[in-house]
Amino acid sequence: MERKTASRRRGDELEQAILDAVWEEFQAVGFSKLTMEGVAKRAGTSKPVLYRRWSSPVDLMIACAANRIPKAESVPDTGSLRGDTIALLTLAHERMRMVGQTAMLSMLAQVSVDPEARKVLIEGIVVNLVKALSGTVYTRAIARGELAGEHLTERLTRLPIDLMRNEFILFGHVSEDAIESMLDEVILPALRARGAKV
Amino acid sequence: MERKTASRRRGDELEQAILDAVWEEFQAVGFSKLTMEGVAKRAGTSKPVLYRRWSSPVDLMIACAANRIPKAESVPDTGSLRGDTIALLTLAHERMRMVGQTAMLSMLAQVSVDPEARKVLIEGIVVNLVKALSGTVYTRAIARGELAGEHLTERLTRLPIDLMRNEFILFGHVSEDAIESMLDEVILPALRARGAKV
DNA sequence: TCCATCAAGATACGGACCGTATCTTGCGGA
DNA sequence: TCCGCAAGATACGGTCCGTATCTTGATGGA
């Protein structure tokens, strides 16, 4: 409620202001204490305005996350599949840390009882992340001749981010060592078995 | 409150009755509507009795899950590493379905803000599951000569259940095809790279 | 320029559940 | 037999939910 006499916001301007407020509130009080009332207050608006758009704090958080995720981002080209995959895992890790373990789990928990929200989250974020990140890395490796494209399955494409997500969800952090073990003990052997020359 | 005139329960008897009630309530209303009040009512007791032992519905659910998980269970010996691993994944899947996607995610979310509960859940359930199930399978495979024990890392031991958990958490169900792709595209290649003869 | 419309924003409400304090009552041990 | 202790009942203030109602400001069309 900072805007006593300021002008009344509408449409996208309002919506963006609310989603920004969600993020601030999330950073300030954490996900478990993220309430509609708190967000409304911080955004200088009221609950009904929020409820006209989203149906719960988790819904709000999902929209906020979708809003903040960079639309497209690329993994740096390090010259090799191994280097690129490390970069891929590191980037994915950063993305996850931005959201945080608790928020990620809460969003997933919510989504598990709401097929509609599931589409938004899973397809809108998870799948996109995989496509944008893993996609680049593998396309490049195929161009280099390190990888035979026709043997790349969906499972293998998802694998790096799946392993990272699992680790992050369980422990809340992922060490350098963990990344290396995923890479050298699982990902690369699995790729080699499908014809990767690395 | 069915026990109007029945005798007053104490100690372990009471505790077990409460944990049973948690499970019934969970089955009846789902995890998101599992409240202390509801459980107390169903168990024929009252909130303070619950709060003397557990601090929240999630805490209750974690205790209930730990209570219901069979202490030791074994993977059937199918004669081969591949068959055993399928059995392992299937069994892990059944365990997860018993708890359910939502409850599992909610428990993990809770644990992520409570280091004390984390110990109970992660070490008491996750790690035990890995040790009990994967342990058996790998020990057997080593005895058969299919696997070189000294090359087995912690990551590889965890791998099957990690993959299964990730799949279950994302989609809430795991198909036969999914199990096979985990096995043939990831797990077995990773094991072969460490000297498995399969 | 003025007005009709519509959403923003304020306020209030019943309800669910939380977490705790207080009290009584039955059980079990000494 | 009686004492101590925990079970169980009840009540309370508090927070947040989700909605209904009302006022007010912005916008677009005549």
Side-chain angles (χ1 to χ4, degrees):
Chain A
M1 294 246 293
E2 306 299 341
R3 333 179 344 284
K4 289 284 175 200
T5 54
S7 87
R8 179 174 288 184
R9 300 156 299 177
R10 290 173 167 269
D12 290 346
E13 182 198 356
L14 174 62
E15 198 142 318
Q16 189 58 50
I18 293 173
L19 293 181
D20 288 346
V22 172
W23 186 252
E24 285 170 32
E25 185 76 0
F26 166 58
Q27 300 287 40
V29 305
F31 182 81
S32 64
K33 290 179 183 166
L34 189 77
T35 69
M36 296 303 244
E37 308 205 341
V39 171
K41 195 170 183 180
R42 188 179 288 268
T45 181
S46 60
K47 283 197 293 171
V49 175
L50 267 54
Y51 275 105
R52 276 168 205 143
R53 299 175 167 72
W54 303 281
S55 64
S56 69
V58 191
D59 227 51
L60 215 41
M61 190 68 221
I62 292 175
C64 171
N67 180 259
R68 297 187 69 86
I69 292 285
K71 293 309 167 210
E73 193 172 5
S74 55
V75 183
D77 188 338
T78 66
S80 74
L81 175 56
R82 186 174 196 282
D84 279 10
T85 311
I86 289 184
L88 157 67
L89 288 171
T90 307
L91 193 57
H93 186 207
E94 272 168 28
R95 285 280 186 85
M96 293 177 189
R97 291 209 315 158
M98 271 186 51
V99 178
Q101 185 189 17
T102 309
M104 179 180 290
L105 283 164
S106 305
M107 287 191 281
L108 284 170
Q110 169 62 15
V111 147
S112 73
V113 292
D114 181 347
E116 202 50 43
R118 152 173 276 143
K119 259 195 152 172
V120 177
L121 187 73
I122 301 287
E123 292 181 18
I125 303 184
V126 177
V127 175
N128 273 355
L129 190 67
V130 169
K131 285 206 176 126
L133 300 188
S134 305
T136 329
V137 169
Y138 288 144
T139 306
R140 243 181 244 154
I142 292 169
R144 284 192 206 105
E146 289 178 297
L147 212 55
E150 61 269 23
H151 293 141
L152 254 195
T153 62
E154 202 229 329
R155 166 83 43 200
L156 285 171
T157 312
R158 279 169 41 194
L159 185 59
I161 290 181
D162 279 352
L163 289 177
M164 174 58 73
R165 183 188 312 113
N166 178 70
E167 198 83 1
F168 184 74
I169 278 175
L170 277 190
F171 306 112
H173 62 91
V174 183
S175 67
E176 289 288 326
D177 285 358
I179 291 186
E180 291 212 348
S181 75
M182 289 181 218
L183 192 63
D184 294 324
E185 299 174 25
V186 183
I187 301 171
L188 291 182
L191 289 176
R192 280 190 206 107
R194 313 291 285 197
K197 307 177 189 70
V198 275
Chain B
M1 294 244 295
E2 306 299 342
R3 329 176 352 281
K4 291 285 176 199
T5 54
S7 87
R8 180 173 287 184
R9 299 155 301 178
R10 291 174 166 269
D12 290 345
E13 182 198 356
L14 174 62
E15 199 143 318
Q16 189 59 48
I18 294 173
L19 292 181
D20 288 346
V22 173
W23 186 252
E24 285 171 31
E25 185 77 359
F26 167 58
Q27 300 288 38
V29 305
F31 182 82
S32 63
K33 289 178 184 167
L34 189 77
T35 69
M36 296 303 245
E37 309 206 340
V39 171
K41 195 170 182 181
R42 187 180 289 268
T45 182
S46 61
K47 285 197 293 172
V49 176
L50 268 53
Y51 276 105
R52 275 171 205 141
R53 299 174 167 74
W54 304 280
S55 65
S56 69
V58 191
D59 227 51
L60 215 41
M61 189 68 221
I62 292 175
C64 170
N67 180 258
R68 298 187 68 85
I69 291 285
K71 294 310 167 210
E73 193 172 5
S74 56
V75 184
D77 188 338
T78 66
S80 74
L81 175 55
R82 186 174 196 281
D84 279 10
T85 310
I86 290 184
L88 158 67
L89 288 171
T90 308
L91 192 57
H93 186 207
E94 272 167 28
R95 286 280 186 85
M96 293 177 190
R97 291 209 316 159
M98 270 186 52
V99 178
Q101 184 189 17
T102 310
M104 178 180 290
L105 283 164
S106 305
M107 287 190 281
L108 284 169
Q110 169 62 15
V111 147
S112 74
V113 293
D114 181 346
E116 202 50 44
R118 152 171 277 143
K119 260 196 153 173
V120 178
L121 188 71
I122 300 288
E123 291 180 20
I125 304 185
V126 177
V127 175
N128 273 357
L129 191 66
V130 170
K131 285 207 178 122
L133 300 187
S134 305
T136 329
V137 169
Y138 289 144
T139 306
R140 244 180 243 154
I142 293 169
R144 283 192 206 105
E146 290 179 297
L147 212 56
E150 62 270 23
H151 293 139
L152 254 195
T153 62
E154 200 229 331
R155 165 83 44 200
L156 285 172
T157 312
R158 278 169 41 193
L159 186 58
I161 290 181
D162 279 352
L163 290 176
M164 174 59 71
R165 183 190 311 112
N166 177 72
E167 198 84 1
F168 184 75
I169 278 175
L170 277 190
F171 306 112
H173 62 93
V174 183
S175 66
E176 289 288 327
D177 286 358
I179 291 185
E180 291 212 347
S181 75
M182 289 181 217
L183 192 63
D184 294 324
E185 300 174 24
V186 183
I187 301 172
L188 291 182
L191 289 176
R192 281 189 206 108
R194 314 290 285 197
K197 306 177 190 70
V198 274

